[in-house]
Amino acid sequence: MVLASTITAVGHVPLAALALIVGVDRILNEGRVFINVLGNAMATIVIGKWENDFDAEKARAVLGAGTGKHEEAGK
């Protein structure tokens, strides 16, 4: 919104170009969200290991719950 209002205030950019910029930014925002979540997850694991509070077995059990891998290991 700030970018759109700034560009329209300058007045040198046509409205179609502004629509293109906003459309591309919306797609790029999904990538930024993914990278942010991935970074937060990695930071949590790193800090957990640093503080000796990370349980690798429990993490494998939780992360493998949706893949069916934990069920095969028990057989």
Side-chain angles (χ1 to χ4, degrees):
M1 291 303 281
V2 174
L3 176 65
S5 62
T6 304
I7 290 176
T8 54
V10 172
H12 295 108
V13 179
L15 186 60
L18 178 63
L20 181 64
I21 291 170
V22 171
V24 170
D25 185 62
R26 188 170 182 170
I27 294 169
L28 292 176
N29 190 38
E30 293 178 17
R32 285 190 291 264
V33 168
F34 172 73
I35 295 298
N36 189 20
V37 170
L38 182 63
N40 288 345
M42 292 301 298
T44 302
I45 292 170
V46 167
I47 291 172
K49 285 187 173 188
W50 189 9
E51 294 290 325
N52 295 324
D53 196 31
F54 182 74
D55 187 1
E57 292 299 320
K58 187 173 183 179
R60 282 190 193 98
V62 170
L63 295 174
T67 62
K69 291 181 181 178
H70 71 287
E71 295 171 2
E72 294 175 6
K75 291 183 181 178

